[in-house]
Amino acid sequence: MTILNIGNEAFNSTEVAEKVQHDIDFLLARIKHLQQQPSPNPIVLQTYCEMLESRQAVLNWLVQDQPTTVSRAG
């Protein structure tokens, strides 16, 4: 665990990583659902993909050099 200081507040990096992982899981589900639509909205799909990429980068940063990582729900 690492303490993240954002402004005047301190956050447990493990808790933040878990929240980011939940965002990633949600975005993966939304992207999958959109891709199954007969005519998915390309702008919405692109936005979700960009959000996913951003969350994955944040998660990778949070867990780098950590002895344990956030487990992904299957």
Side-chain angles (χ1 to χ4, degrees):
M1 174 190 76
T2 303
I3 300 298
L4 300 173
N5 292 305
I6 302 173
N8 293 330
E9 296 187 48
F11 298 92
N12 176 328
S13 64
T14 303
E15 292 173 3
V16 175
E18 289 173 0
K19 290 177 183 177
V20 172
Q21 183 63 58
H22 289 294
D23 285 353
I24 289 170
D25 294 340
F26 169 79
L27 289 167
L28 287 169
R30 291 299 301 155
I31 290 168
K32 181 178 178 182
H33 176 75
L34 283 172
Q35 289 173 332
Q36 293 172 346
Q37 300 298 311
S39 182
N41 183 322
I43 295 173
V44 172
L45 190 55
Q46 178 182 355
T47 300
Y48 279 136
C49 288
E50 290 170 358
M51 291 170 66
L52 175 62
E53 185 177 323
S54 173
R55 298 306 191 286
Q56 289 171 327
V58 169
L59 182 61
N60 288 337
W61 176 77
L62 286 169
V63 300
Q64 75 181 12
D65 300 326
Q66 295 294 319
T68 59
T69 59
V70 176
S71 62
R72 290 189 167 183

